[in-house]
Amino acid sequence: MTLDLTVDELLTSTRSVRKRLDFDRPVPREVLMECLDLALQAPTGSNAQGWQFLFVEDPAKKKALADIYRATGTPYLDMPAPVRGDMRDAQMDSVLSSAKYLNENLEKTPVFLIPCLEGRPDGAPAGMQASYWGSLIPAVWSFMLALRSRGLGSGCVQQSGVRVGPDQRYRRVVAG
């Protein structure tokens, strides 16, 4: 089922949902695949499409991944909030509160989508790194928009301050 939203309504109402995620609402595999099919239409650098997407639904794997995330996510979220001198400062308490809530409840989400890209941009010039990540981010955003158009919320979390590649814990958890 899709919502009757204009493009403008879809774009202005899609947020990273944290406190309002419905942990008890199952997400059918067919809906995930529809949304992924739409996300794969996103542009990529050099039309390479060197991405892969992993869906994690197993509760034990989600818990293990959430614990790894929390190992650096919690200290990051406990750092003093930056002061920017603009409207973002007024929103920071709310943003941090919702981010901490998701950090504490991450494994309860029905499905994790882990977007992956071939290779690593370590040491590459800034422009090449921007192209590398710029090949993935549009697909992730398209996936979030597709979910929203179907009445589903999503959140986007990143691992702050760590180099995930050398950390084999993620791969071991997903591989089982």
Side-chain angles (χ1 to χ4, degrees):
M1 173 192 91
T2 58
L3 301 178
D4 188 23
L5 298 172
T6 67
V7 172
D8 288 354
E9 290 169 330
L10 180 64
L11 288 170
T12 58
S13 66
T14 302
R15 302 279 186 277
S16 190
V17 179
R18 298 177 185 108
K19 285 188 174 178
R20 293 180 294 134
L21 279 173
D22 186 347
F23 296 136
D24 298 318
R25 181 178 179 185
V27 182
R29 176 61 76 157
E30 64 193 42
V31 172
L32 294 172
M33 297 314 293
E34 285 174 12
C35 293
L36 182 59
D37 285 345
L38 292 169
L40 295 179
Q41 303 304 308
T44 59
S46 302
N47 201 31
Q49 290 134 354
W51 48 33
Q52 294 182 13
F53 296 86
L54 302 172
F55 290 107
V56 179
E57 298 173 272
D58 177 81
K61 288 182 180 184
K62 290 190 303 178
K63 172 75 167 86
L65 291 168
D67 287 344
I68 294 168
Y69 176 81
R70 277 192 284 271
T72 56
T74 300
Y76 174 78
L77 291 170
D78 287 341
M79 292 172 52
V83 177
R84 296 186 170 104
D86 58 30
M87 64 192 256
R88 293 175 291 179
D89 292 342
Q91 300 169 336
M92 191 52 64
D93 286 343
S94 175
V95 169
L96 280 174
S97 173
S98 67
K100 287 179 179 183
Y101 175 81
L102 184 58
N103 184 56
E104 294 164 3
N105 294 282
L106 191 57
E107 67 272 11
K108 295 177 185 176
T109 59
V111 181
F112 288 5
L113 165 68
I114 303 175
C116 305
L117 275 175
E118 293 178 43
R120 292 184 57 93
D122 296 355
M128 290 181 76
Q129 289 191 37
S131 177
Y132 180 85
W133 294 113
S135 291
L136 184 64
I137 294 168
V140 172
W141 178 238
S142 293
F143 186 80
M144 292 175 74
L145 290 170
L147 286 172
R148 171 71 181 110
S149 75
R150 286 155 177 77
L152 295 166
S154 61
C156 189
V157 297
Q158 298 92 23
Q159 192 70 29
S160 300
V162 297
R163 293 179 40 164
V164 176
D167 186 347
Q168 296 299 313
R169 294 176 297 169
Y170 283 102
R171 290 185 186 171
R172 284 194 299 267
V173 167
V174 172

